[in-house]
Amino acid sequence: MATLSSAASPFCRPEEDPFLLLESCGKAIESILRGHAGQPLRRTWIDRPYGEEEISRLEEEVLPAIQLCLARVDEIDSALEAEAQLSYRQQVEAEAALRRGGLQCSRCMPVV
């Protein structure tokens, strides 16, 4: 089975997709918060751990912001997919009409 290099593919690798990273981070934060329920949350950059107030802010502000961002990305993706499907459908219909002789374009004019 042949594999495509990232240069040959129109898609990026999963580790290059910032929105997959954002989704993964949101899930990791949720998991960490569930695992630390009622306990302080230590950080690497400060000797004072997050307490109940800071954890509540993460739950009430940060996680919903991540979810809103991902929902908006889904809307944008859906619009792009719908646009691509419409464009493909129009192309297929135009090609079918050309084969039937119903339409002519400057590139596809029959030789007389």
Side-chain angles (χ1 to χ4, degrees), residues 98 103-111:
L98 283 172
L103 294 177
Q104 293 182 354
C105 70
S106 59
R107 295 184 318 190
C108 308
M109 298 275 295
V111 178

Side-chain angles (χ1 to χ4, degrees), residues 27-41:
K27 289 177 182 178
I29 292 169
E30 287 178 21
S31 176
I32 289 168
L33 293 176
R34 276 194 306 271
H36 281 79
Q39 300 173 11
L41 182 61

Side-chain angles (χ1 to χ4, degrees), residues 12-84:
C12 67
R13 297 185 320 252
E15 61 271 16
E16 296 174 322
D17 187 328
F19 303 109
L20 285 178
L21 177 60
L22 182 61
E23 182 178 16
S24 177
C25 288
K27 289 177 182 178
I29 292 169
E30 287 178 21
S31 176
I32 289 168
L33 293 176
R34 276 194 306 271
H36 281 79
Q39 300 173 11
L41 182 61
R42 292 180 20 194
R43 297 295 321 272
T44 59
W45 62 276
I46 190 169
D47 63 354
R48 181 174 172 234
Y50 283 4
E52 187 176 320
E53 181 180 336
E54 292 83 12
I55 291 172
S56 292
R57 291 179 71 186
L58 291 172
E59 293 171 337
E60 296 169 3
E61 298 173 23
V62 174
L63 289 176
I66 291 171
Q67 292 164 348
L68 282 172
C69 180
L70 291 172
R72 183 63 183 124
V73 169
D74 285 345
E75 291 172 7
I76 293 167
D77 287 351
S78 294
L80 286 173
E81 288 174 352
E83 187 179 304

